[in-house]
Amino acid sequence: MKSKKVISSLLAAAMTTSLLAGCGNSNNTPASSNNNTNADNAAADNSNTDNAAADNSNTDNAAADNSNADNAADAPETTPPAEAQTLKVAAFEGGYGADMWSEVVAAFEASHPGVTVELTIDKKIEDVISPAMKAGDYPDVVHLATGREAALTETLTKEKALLPLTDVLEMTVPGESVKVKDKIIPGFLDTLATNPYGDGVTYYAPMFYSPCGLFYNAGLFKEKGWTVPTTWEEMWALGDTAAADNIALFTYPTTGYFDAFTYAALASAGGSDFFNKCMTYEDGIWESEDATKVFELVAKLATYTEGTTVANANNDNFTKNQQLILDNKAIFCPNGTWLPGEMAEAPRADGFEWGFMALPAVNAGGSGCSFCWFEQMWIPAAAENQDMAKEFVAYMYSDEAAKIFAKSTAIQPITGVSDSLEGDNKMFYSIYDNGATAVMGGFASTEPVEGVNMLDTLCGTVNSIVSGDKTVAEWQTAVEEASDKLRAAMN
């Protein structure tokens, strides 16, 4: 097994050390646990009940009037019913589906008598909950990651409208005897993707961890006798070879998937310090030599991109681009581990077999990189039932919840459950065991800047690069200008 490294977007160098046990730690790779011992622990030892029965042989008064004594001795201990309350939970329905949320909510209600969860699930959850939030009616808990087009999570972050979750980390996982912070894989709580202000305070609870990289049809490589490329020079050579068979080298679902791609490429090009400077808008960083390598790499990759990609790179037709690799019309597609589940019912070429790899190293002799993406859960500062909301977030890290999520291949970032991985998931989550560097984190939070969206400028422009509507120089200048504006507004 090769050594594993982790690059995380941090604001203090001291944080970096703790990340070395993050996504790249195969012993801590999250998955479903088959060792659910909570039921045993939940069974109360009633052996003391008999001791509660008083020995009344020496008590004349008790012997004379046994009715109350017998009742006291025989009556079991009871817990007064919990105060009824309703917890409003809003969850994004991603590639893992909606059923797992209904099952987790049912399990939470069963373990918390008196609590009713009002669950709202939607693929565009922002559109569902935003109108009510504007009217002052907030969910208690929201599962919605950063990086979405509507940027609701980022907007509330910029407005300081989220509840700190640092005290949740000190809570005991419901039904267990371990603290939340001790269940979460080291490194996940030390990035701007959980501590958006870089002040050591957690506002986003990490959910559903997924290595990101390039998916391909391993069966096609076997059929053609191709070798999986490990460098970009080998990538370009493969692209030229495949073109002779009318197979494109590359496609992408939407430009939104270039966040993970670009983060990995940046880390590979310049290392962890360079990556951190990009994420914190250092002056001139996007005009540097290392950044230029990444812009030019994407521009060259655009020339190898399948011709229909841009037309279908939207929320309505993105699966058509993903279908290209199943039909052997394109070789590589950037995505996360939810892709096979999302395309499970899609037709595919004979002999199709999922393959997965990290981005090749940008520099000769360097290591490939895979961005370690995870979703986030948070509590609005205006939530009405904050205490029960925190209890729900803590429950997300229970073995019981993790087992439910894992049935839908949604893997929680908790320790000690990797041994249950099988099949494709075993391959996907072993990417860091095979020498790839794990990259975590994202852009630092800023105050709202009208008309500026860094991810849209950095990633959304890719369609224009592929179509030829913009040049690399124009793109690079626009990103630097956006970075300048956001640096001045950084929290």
Side-chain angles (χ1 to χ4, degrees):
M1 181 182 296
K2 297 181 181 180
S3 63
K4 299 171 283 289
K5 299 171 285 181
V6 173
I7 298 173
S8 179
S9 177
L10 307 176
L11 295 184
M15 288 180 169
T16 304
T17 302
S18 65
L19 285 175
L20 294 176
C23 293
N25 190 334
S26 61
N27 294 327
N28 288 333
T29 304
S32 168
S33 172
N34 292 325
N35 300 322
N36 189 353
T37 60
N38 294 334
D40 295 335
N41 294 333
D45 183 353
N46 294 321
S47 61
N48 291 330
T49 303
D50 294 337
N51 294 334
D55 183 353
N56 296 322
S57 60
N58 295 325
T59 308
D60 294 338
N61 290 337
D65 185 2
N66 288 325
S67 59
N68 292 334
D70 289 342
N71 289 339
D74 296 336
E77 294 182 7
T78 60
T79 301
E83 181 180 354
Q85 58 180 300
T86 299
L87 185 72
K88 294 184 292 185
V89 175
F92 167 67
E93 181 186 346
Y96 305 123
D99 291 346
M100 66 178 190
W101 283 109
S102 299
E103 188 175 349
V104 162
V105 162
F108 180 79
E109 290 176 334
S111 63
H112 291 75
V115 177
T116 299
V117 177
E118 184 181 290
L119 178 63
T120 303
I121 312 173
D122 199 273
K123 293 181 179 180
K124 294 185 178 180
I125 192 66
E126 307 97 320
D127 296 343
V128 176
I129 64 177
S130 290
M133 290 171 62
K134 291 178 181 178
D137 183 10
Y138 285 76
D140 296 306
V141 180
V142 180
H143 165 255
L144 182 64
T146 55
R148 298 271 295 168
E149 183 177 356
L152 177 60
T153 300
E154 289 90 338
T155 297
L156 292 178
T157 302
K158 293 172 184 177
E159 295 175 350
K160 302 294 182 70
L162 300 182
L163 192 71
L165 300 181
T166 304
D167 57 341
V168 174
L169 304 179
E170 298 295 334
M171 292 173 60
T172 299
V173 176
E176 302 180 9
S177 58
V178 61
K179 290 185 177 181
V180 171
K181 68 179 183 180
D182 296 325
K183 285 293 292 281
I184 298 175
I185 291 176
F188 276 82
L189 298 174
D190 299 321
T191 86
L192 291 174
T194 50
N195 307 336
Y197 306 117
D199 57 0
V201 179
T202 299
Y203 286 85
Y204 307 148
M207 298 279 290
F208 309 150
Y209 136 63
S210 173
C212 294
L214 299 177
F215 284 80
Y216 61 93
N217 177 7
L220 179 62
F221 277 75
K222 294 177 182 178
E223 176 188 336
K224 298 290 187 180
W226 294 341
T227 300
V228 176
T230 58
T231 68
W232 283 103
E233 290 306 316
E234 292 176 357
M235 285 284 279
W236 310 138
L238 176 61
D240 295 336
T241 298
D245 290 332
N246 293 318
I247 303 175
L249 178 67
F250 188 70
T251 187
Y252 54 90
T254 69
T255 57
Y257 284 76
F258 271 89
D259 54 1
F261 182 101
T262 304
Y263 294 157
L266 289 169
S268 180
S272 59
D273 288 343
F274 170 72
F275 177 68
N276 293 339
K277 291 174 182 178
C278 291
M279 297 299 102
T280 52
Y281 320 106
E282 181 171 300
D283 189 18
I285 196 66
W286 295 100
E287 298 171 325
S288 65
E289 179 181 354
D290 288 328
T292 300
K293 293 178 185 177
V294 176
F295 285 114
E296 292 180 345
L297 185 154
V298 174
K300 186 167 184 176
L301 190 59
T303 66
Y304 286 90
T305 298
E306 201 277 337
T308 64
T309 295
V310 172
N312 293 316
N314 53 64
N315 289 335
D316 294 324
N317 297 315
F318 70 94
T319 56
K320 293 182 180 180
N321 289 340
Q322 295 175 170
Q323 184 68 38
L324 292 173
I325 63 171
L326 277 71
D327 294 338
N328 290 338
K329 294 180 179 179
I331 300 177
F332 293 108
C333 179
N335 221 301
T337 53
W338 58 85
L339 176 62
E342 196 168 55
M343 303 300 288
E345 303 301 321
R348 59 204 63 210
D350 292 340
F352 182 88
E353 180 184 339
W354 286 111
F356 183 57
M357 60 177 279
L359 264 67
V362 173
N363 300 317
S367 63
C369 286
S370 166
F371 183 74
C372 179
W373 192 88
F374 54 89
E375 301 182 30
Q376 292 123 324
M377 176 174 280
W378 39 270
I379 300 174
E384 182 177 351
N385 300 307
Q386 294 183 2
D387 289 342
M388 188 54 64
K390 292 178 180 180
E391 181 80 1
F392 186 83
V393 173
Y395 178 75
M396 295 298 97
Y397 302 99
S398 66
D399 290 343
E400 183 177 51
K403 187 174 182 178
I404 293 171
F405 286 135
K407 289 190 298 183
S408 297
T409 68
I411 310 302
Q412 279 292 72
I414 63 176
T415 60
V417 289
S418 60
D419 292 341
S420 62
L421 285 175
E422 298 178 351
D424 288 340
N425 268 344
K426 178 70 74 174
M427 173 184 64
F428 300 151
Y429 286 87
S430 66
I431 190 169
Y432 305 117
D433 297 334
N434 296 327
T437 297
V439 183
M440 287 191 291
F443 285 105
S445 175
T446 69
E447 297 294 333
V449 178
E450 185 176 357
V452 179
N453 184 315
M454 189 63 175
L455 283 176
D456 186 56
T457 304
L458 178 62
C459 303
T461 307
V462 171
N463 277 343
S464 297
I465 298 298
V466 176
S467 65
D469 293 336
K470 285 191 177 181
T471 67
V472 168
E474 291 171 333
W475 181 24
Q476 191 169 9
T477 298
V479 172
E480 178 64 27
E481 289 175 351
S483 181
D484 290 340
K485 295 175 182 178
L486 292 172
R487 181 172 63 256
M490 190 166 60
N491 290 306

